[in-house]
DNA sequence: ATGAAAGCGCTAACAA
DNA sequence: TTGTTAGCGCTTTCAT
């Protein structure tokens, strides 16, 4: 900037003002300075700017992942969320600082905040970190979390209507005449727990003769789900429908079923959760509960910026919609 | 830091040294200071540190995306790459600054660099930006690119053996007796172009009676590929195998084929490219060319850090391996 | 082994 | 309207 000032024959402060578009500096001079800066490929140093302004124009996006579950950063839903967050954050002229958090880690959130690398934090997925979030949120406002809303929660979440979505999925299966519906997935973390609860509730409301809730445990990875379903089938388990906690494991479940000689959807219907972009394109295509990632991301960012301004924002629950496709026709 | 200094009854410079683990400061005092910092949840301000040190401990990861192609940041391969990059970068104590670049944008790379937000840049995918990269690389060393190696290229790439992988895919199909093999995808960008070239070459080397190269154009999105394959079938096109430029479009192709009444793999075999995590779990599971994302990411980061130290590193081509599954059995 | 002081590049309160 | 100046929080050279 000193260089530009010298070239323009003015003081740095004038350059600073000109580049900030201040009306204080004479229009002609301002244009000349801006032009000069462009010619020389000069852009203001955001580090120095941040130090001076005490704000970084950065948002941290933290993704807590269970190490033991081997959960990679490749879950398509999280990733779609990340993409849309990048979009929304960039649109506001902010940068995105990506933090992959491998649990269990001590004080990960406090450290992200204390480091001052960002003006606000988005956490994608509560995972098992409800307590951490509770604690940190007490003293730090600009924090929003994608996830489930939990009674007594003190932090701000945006998330889908997990129980409602799950219930809609199971009711759809019941209406199609299915009576032995298993839940595939591990209800670790509030979101999946709520999906399980929705599943249970729908079964409680089911016609007589419907089999009671039954869970097939599996981490949210393709391999885990595949293995779990195979074992279950070989153990002679009988069911005519699967409600999977996510699309990724629903797809694995279909493969396991077909490989073990069960026709999908004729013998076993499958419903997933998320509506990832591939869901419409698998064979058979996947009946699922859509979470609107794009709106979710926009809402998260919107709330975050309001919190960055000091506003106390409430949590938001977005509708989750049943999408009927081939794996569980109507 | 001033606070910690006051609490410890020493000068800030001593605290700075202590926290940096300098041997200059007396061991006992150092421990006391470190302890004090931890108790008070103090961590050094990386912004101030960056300004002073003239390095940010940050790496920018830029993902150029074609706007017109509607290509989202959700391509599973890119995303897996991003995850592994996050891993490798974090391991070295650096942060990751994610930049989604929507093309065409003017000077995107120059701006990322000039902004000084990071000490090095990883670009995932050359896309149509070969010229930009050539130009920038002339004056900026700490830059690595995931993509194809191009004759006359002046920047450092890491990428798979695209022609070799494509050739292996087509030879596999030929060996299985397929003679009318179409290429599905749009060879925009060097990587896909090289895959197409490998396809062409394998066909030139094919037995007599093999149909000549034939391309079905489609952007790398599920919808585009689905539509393209359907139209092609309805137009009465005849083929017994598809080599798709990516797994995502291979999966869509399978769905289109099945929906139009073609058995996969009996009537039409399908081979993809990437080996995304879902490829093993679709129905039928996908024969594909594996790109080793993890090694790719590690190599990129390794080369980047060497470049950040001033070393001129050469480009690297990684092997691409044929994985035979159900969609195109041996 | 520790303290004093300068300065990284920028912005803004104040002065002119 | 522009310039002067102080200071954001840190590291490091120099002096002690």
């Amino acid at each position: 900037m000193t260089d530009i000032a010298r070239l323009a024959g003015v003081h740095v402060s004038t350059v600073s003002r000109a580049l900030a578009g201040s009306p204080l500096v004479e229009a002609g001079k301002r244009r000349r300075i801006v032009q000069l800066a462009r010619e020389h490929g000069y852009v203001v140093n955001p580090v120095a700017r941040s130090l001076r302004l005490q704000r970084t124009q950065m948002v941290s996006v933290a993704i807590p992942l269970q190490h033991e579950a081997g959960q990679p950063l490749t879950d398509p839903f999280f990733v779609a969320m990340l993409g849309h967050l990048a979009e929304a954050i960039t649109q506001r002229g902010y940068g995105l600082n990506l933090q992959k958090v491998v649990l269990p880690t001590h004080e990960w959130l406090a450290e992200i905040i204390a480091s001052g690398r960002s003006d606000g934090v988005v956490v994608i997925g509560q995972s098992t970190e409800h307590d951490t979030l509770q604690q940190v949120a007490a003293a730090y406002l600009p924090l929003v979390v994608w996830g489930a809303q939990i009674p007594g929660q003190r932090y701000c979440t945006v998330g889908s209507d997990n129980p409602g979505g799950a219930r809609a999925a199971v009711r759809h299966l019941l209406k199609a005449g299915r009576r032995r519906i298993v839940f595939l997935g591990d209800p670790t973390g509030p979101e999946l727990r709520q999906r399980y609860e929705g599943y249970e509730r729908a079964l409680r409301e089911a016609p007589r003769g419907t089999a009671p809730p039954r869970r097939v445990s599996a981490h949210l990875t393709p391999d885990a789900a595949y293995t779990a379903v195979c074992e279950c089938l070989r153990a002679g388990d009988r069911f005519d429908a699967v409600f999977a906690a996510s699309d990724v494991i629903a797809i694995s479940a279909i493969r396991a079923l077909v490989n073990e000689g069960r026709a999908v959807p004729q013998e076993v219907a499958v419903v997933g959760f998320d509506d990832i972009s591939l869901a419409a394109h698998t064979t058979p295509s996947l009946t699922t509960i859509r979470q609107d990632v794009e709106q979710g991301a926009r809402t998260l960012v919107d709330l975050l910026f309001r919190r960055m301004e000091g506003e106390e924002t409430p949590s938001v629950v977005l509708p989750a919609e049943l999408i009927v496709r081939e794996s569980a026709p109507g």
Side-chain angles (χ1 to χ4, degrees), chain A:
Chain A
M1 187 178 266
T2 323
D3 297 345
I4 303 294
R6 196 162 13 77
L7 289 166
V10 297
H11 195 265
V12 279
S13 57
T14 305
V15 176
S16 174
R17 283 189 275 252
L19 261 30
S22 160
L24 283 173
V25 39
E26 193 199 321
K29 185 173 285 182
R30 189 169 64 215
R31 268 199 309 278
R32 203 157 49 76
I33 292 171
V34 170
Q35 173 61 18
L36 220 45
R38 185 164 33 226
E39 276 169 17
H40 291 257
Y42 171 82
V43 286
V44 287
N45 181 328
V47 174
R49 189 186 158 86
S50 294
L51 182 58
R52 175 65 232 241
L53 259 34
Q54 296 297 81
R55 56 191 174 82
T56 57
Q57 298 264 85
M58 282 276 178
V59 171
S60 289
V61 174
I63 309 191
L65 297 169
Q66 302 293 345
H67 182 59
E68 32 109 20
Q71 193 185 9
L73 177 40
T74 51
D75 184 285
F77 180 78
F78 276 16
V79 152
M81 181 60 84
L82 184 58
H84 287 113
L85 284 172
E87 188 75 46
I89 291 168
T90 307
Q91 260 173 24
R92 300 199 184 227
Y94 275 64
L96 190 163
N97 184 212
L98 180 64
Q99 304 266 357
K100 181 179 174 179
V101 178
V102 177
L103 301 174
T105 308
H106 193 57
E107 302 274 285
W108 58 275
L109 186 51
E111 272 171 23
I112 289 173
I113 292 165
S115 86
R117 265 203 216 281
S118 52
D119 303 331
V121 179
V122 180
V123 177
I124 308 186
Q126 282 147 314
S127 194
T128 52
E129 301 299 301
H130 178 64
D131 293 341
T132 308
L133 291 165
Q134 286 286 61
Q135 205 177 319
V136 168
Y140 184 75
L141 190 62
L143 167 72
V144 294
V145 179
W146 174 265
Q149 204 168 344
I150 298 172
Q153 161 187 310
R154 306 158 64 86
Y155 51 95
C156 174
T157 50
V158 176
S160 298
D161 178 4
N162 292 297
R167 202 158 148 239
V170 176
R171 289 163 79 131
H172 172 72
L173 289 167
L174 288 167
K175 211 160 67 186
R178 311 286 169 164
R179 287 296 175 270
R180 306 182 69 83
I181 306 170
V182 303
F183 179 92
L184 176 64
D186 243 359
T188 54
E191 288 184 278
L192 297 202
R193 189 151 54 242
Q194 290 191 352
R195 290 177 202 170
Y196 184 73
E197 284 163 10
Y199 157 85
E200 268 190 320
R201 169 152 179 214
L203 286 187
R204 273 201 306 279
E205 302 162 348
R208 305 187 115 265
T210 303
R214 155 128 180 67
R215 196 173 78 225
V216 177
S217 267
H219 286 313
L220 286 186
T221 59
D223 289 339
Y226 183 82
T227 312
V229 173
C230 282
E231 278 173 7
C232 182
L233 287 167
R234 285 175 194 160
D237 232 334
R238 285 268 145 229
F239 48 83
D240 56 13
V242 174
F243 170 48
S246 83
D247 283 353
V248 169
I249 64 177
I251 290 168
S252 278
I254 291 177
R255 183 167 134 73
L257 288 162
V258 171
N259 274 16
E260 296 289 322
R262 306 295 198 289
V264 176
Q266 294 79 1
E267 295 175 61
V268 181
V270 177
V271 179
F273 204 110
D274 287 345
D275 195 28
I276 61 176
S277 66
L278 230 61
H281 296 277
T282 53
T283 315
S285 60
L286 194 63
T287 295
T288 189
I289 303 298
R290 170 177 297 162
Q291 303 199 70
D292 189 338
V293 226
E294 192 176 342
Q295 202 197 331
R298 273 206 315 269
T299 308
L300 279 167
V301 173
D302 185 48
L303 295 180
L304 179 63
F305 277 80
R306 282 160 59 191
R307 294 194 147 236
M308 281 162 40
E309 314 251 271
E311 188 180 340
E312 293 250 11
T313 60
S315 291
V316 172
V317 176
L318 302 171
E321 181 196 3
L322 173 70
I323 307 289
V324 178
R325 301 205 186 88
E326 297 160 3
S327 70

